[in-house]
Amino acid sequence: MKPVGIALDSIWPAELRTERLLLRPVTPEDADVVRDLLTDERVRTYLGGPASPERVAARQAAYPQTPGAWAIVRVADGRAIGLAGIGADPRCEDRAEVSYQLLPSAWGGGLGREAVGAIVGWWSAAVPDGGPVVAVTQASNARSRRLLESLGMVLVDELDEYGARQCVYTPGGDQEDSDLRWLRLTASHLDEVERRRGAQARATAAGQHLPEDLSVLTAEEVARLCPARHGTYGRICAHAAGHAPALHLGRAPDGAWIAWLENSAA
């Protein structure tokens, strides 16, 4: 199974076209739609509420540099009406996660379903060994759940995250195919839990005391750790500087303990 980040880098940039939409990589010129999406109360109802100006500015700068991030453009008028993306699922390294958000003015016409369907189909064709694909939405977000289910995606797991119940969907098929996808997702989840537990147990003293918000580390504190930055999310290694094992132990930006093999790091 090819790591998601590596697979994505090998096929990006990419444009996707449907009957009514063009999905193209986000550019700096999309700053307005990024701002509108991140500050709209209706769009952000199930995403933690409107973002701060600092968060908006950070996302406006980051999106054009992010593989797998598309602006959703309506072909009829050339207007960007939303954002969509695919990337490594931060909950489980070996699966890809699809994300999507449209401006309220574009709701209700099936454009979101058209965009998500195009992304899932593109990924499955371009990366046949890319592992499971998931979409995660709040259990109370009926509109988003209907969108996913209208594409034939099936509910395979539920979890508590960001203070709310979340539903994990994956593309469906016949019963045997759906069961296989569920088993793969479950196995990946259990493996990730064990890897995090092992990472915490084996980390050095410096690593054990890493704060949950890794951005508060001073330059001196970071210098005492392994200088490697692995993967899409810039995971910090919890070993002291100077080590050279094949297995890295560390934490993700959200504070979760993780472990990963050096030869599979992106």
Side-chain angles (χ1 to χ4, degrees):
M1 185 182 299
K2 185 178 294 186
V4 172
I6 293 175
L8 186 55
D9 286 341
S10 69
I11 55 178
W12 189 260
E15 288 191 351
L16 310 181
R17 294 179 182 271
T18 69
E19 181 180 354
R20 297 180 292 172
L21 299 174
L22 166 66
L23 276 66
R24 57 161 175 75
V26 178
T27 70
E29 286 68 39
D30 295 312
D32 286 350
V33 74
V34 173
R35 180 201 62 223
D36 292 346
L37 287 165
L38 291 177
T39 57
D40 189 287
E41 291 186 0
R42 291 166 294 177
V43 174
R44 301 292 298 178
T45 297
Y46 303 100
L47 297 171
S52 66
E54 294 76 18
R55 175 66 172 169
V56 170
R59 297 313 300 157
Q60 287 172 325
Y63 270 123
Q65 312 300 322
T66 303
W70 286 282
I72 304 173
V73 178
R74 187 163 47 203
V75 172
D77 56 12
R79 181 187 174 200
I81 57 172
L83 299 172
I86 191 167
D89 181 354
R91 309 165 194 84
C92 182
E93 294 177 321
D94 294 329
R95 69 190 189 199
E97 180 182 4
V98 177
S99 59
Y100 47 91
Q101 48 188 316
L102 268 69
L103 294 171
S105 60
W107 291 0
L111 295 176
R113 180 172 60 85
E114 200 168 310
V116 175
I119 294 171
V120 172
W122 169 78
W123 179 261
S124 299
V127 192
D129 59 345
V133 179
V134 299
V136 181
T137 190
Q138 268 197 33
S140 55
N141 190 346
R143 181 186 295 272
S144 182
R145 295 186 65 178
R146 285 197 301 269
L147 182 156
L148 297 173
E149 290 166 3
S150 72
L151 288 168
M153 299 185 78
V154 295
L155 178 65
V156 291
D157 198 6
E158 294 188 24
L159 54 93
D160 292 314
E161 192 174 59
Y162 308 120
R165 194 67 171 170
Q166 310 287 336
C167 293
V168 182
Y169 283 85
T170 194
D174 57 33
Q175 186 62 45
E176 182 178 351
D177 179 61
S178 295
D179 289 345
L180 176 59
R181 290 179 183 275
W182 185 87
L183 288 170
R184 291 174 73 184
L185 287 168
T186 301
S188 296
H189 174 70
L190 292 175
D191 179 61
E192 183 72 6
V193 169
E194 290 303 318
R195 291 168 71 188
R196 291 184 181 187
R197 183 178 297 141
Q200 184 173 9
R202 296 189 298 272
T204 60
Q208 288 280 11
H209 291 92
L210 287 176
E212 288 192 8
D213 180 4
L214 300 180
S215 66
V216 304
L217 290 173
T218 66
E220 292 75 16
E221 289 169 331
V222 171
R224 291 199 291 270
L225 300 171
C226 170
R229 294 292 182 270
H230 305 275
T232 306
Y233 296 93
R235 295 164 289 189
I236 289 183
C237 190
H239 275 294
H243 82 101
L247 183 68
H248 286 268
L249 313 172
R251 296 179 81 169
D254 64 0
W257 283 95
I258 52 178
W260 62 96
L261 294 175
E262 183 173 316
N263 61 11
S264 66

